[in-house]
Structures are given as structure tokens and as C-alpha cells.
Amino acid sequence: MKFFSSLAMSAMLATTAFAQSAVIGAPLAGSAVQAGCNITVEVDRPNTLTGSTEVGIVIGFLSCVGFNSNVCPPASEIMGSILYNGPYHPEFHTNVSRSKPPHQNFTVAIPTTAKTGPGQLSVAHFNLIGAGQFPFLETLNISVNVS
């Protein structure tokens, strides 16, 4: 019986954590970026009924040129050059033309040393979830093309 209660608790925590997941809303995967130029990174966090406290995010860039078959390792292993490290306060914005979840935009610069070719934009998102405030860390990434 203890097994089933542990299984149910694990499933509930996993479901709650999944509901708190962030998404990279912009740029779109496969977008072209230029070394040394600013881009806007939109980090969305869907609205949920479960309470949470945002702790912060890290945005990184990694050039994939030179890795095995020019494929970057997972963001959970390497973030690359840190473009932003700080607070995250997603909010609803009513002045947008389409309905969006709570989000925050960050203007960051692609490193001038970025090599032409495939790259990876990564986000590490950390928050505290639920009444007990258990810690939740996730990493996200999208592929971009440096031109």
C-alpha cells in the first residue's frame, strides 16, 4: 500500500512541476541570428492554479560548430556564454495582438565570437512550487542559425 501512495505522490508532484514549466516563446526555433547583434528572448510561463514563486532564469548561447556533427550537447550539460542571469517576473500583457501566457522579454546580445552556423539558445528556469515550496529547475533550448 505504501508503494501506491508513494507512486501517487510522485505523479502529483510531476504533474504540478510540469504545469509550472516555462517555454521559449521567441525567437522561434531555426531563426537566424547575427553575431554581435541584439535579440529579444521571450520566456513564457503558462498560467496555473498551483502557486509558485519565481526565483530566476539564466539565458545562455552556445555555438554548435565544432561539436560532434555540429550538434550541441543538451542545455542541462552546458549553457555556453551567459547572456542574462537574474530575476524572472512573467506577467500578462494586454497590449499584445494575440492572447499570450504570462511572459517576460529579455534583450540580449549574441556574442561577437559566435561562429557562423548552428547555435543553441538555452534557458535555465528555477522556481519554488506549491504550498511546501519545493524547488523546481528545468532547462530549455532551441536551435538557431548564426549568419
Side-chain angles (χ1 to χ4, degrees):
M1 194 65 171
K2 210 173 203 181
F3 170 76
F4 289 113
S5 63
S6 294
L7 183 63
M9 180 59 87
S10 296
M12 181 185 77
L13 288 174
T15 301
T16 302
F18 181 72
Q20 299 296 325
S21 292
V23 176
I24 299 173
L28 297 175
S31 293
V33 298
Q34 292 184 335
C37 290
N38 288 341
I39 63 168
T40 299
V41 178
E42 178 185 305
V43 182
D44 300 339
R45 215 237 29 219
N47 198 21
T48 67
L49 296 176
T50 305
S52 67
T53 303
E54 294 296 336
V55 176
I57 65 168
V58 176
I59 301 173
F61 175 81
L62 182 64
S63 179
C64 301
V65 176
F67 282 96
N68 187 22
S69 301
N70 289 339
V71 176
C72 279
S76 59
E77 294 178 12
I78 185 169
M79 291 289 296
S81 298
I82 303 303
L83 309 180
Y84 175 83
N85 175 13
Y88 176 53
H89 302 289
E91 297 178 347
F92 280 106
H93 295 273
T94 56
N95 60 346
V96 294
S97 60
R98 59 185 169 94
S99 177
K100 285 188 172 191
H103 64 279
Q104 185 174 354
N105 293 330
F106 300 88
T107 300
V108 297
I110 299 298
T112 56
T113 57
K115 298 175 184 166
T116 300
Q120 179 171 276
L121 189 66
S122 303
V123 172
H125 170 235
F126 179 55
N127 63 356
L128 303 170
I129 300 175
Q133 297 287 286
F134 77 88
F136 176 65
L137 172 67
E138 66 179 330
T139 54
L140 318 161
N141 66 283
I142 59 166
S143 296
V144 294
N145 294 305
V146 180
S147 55

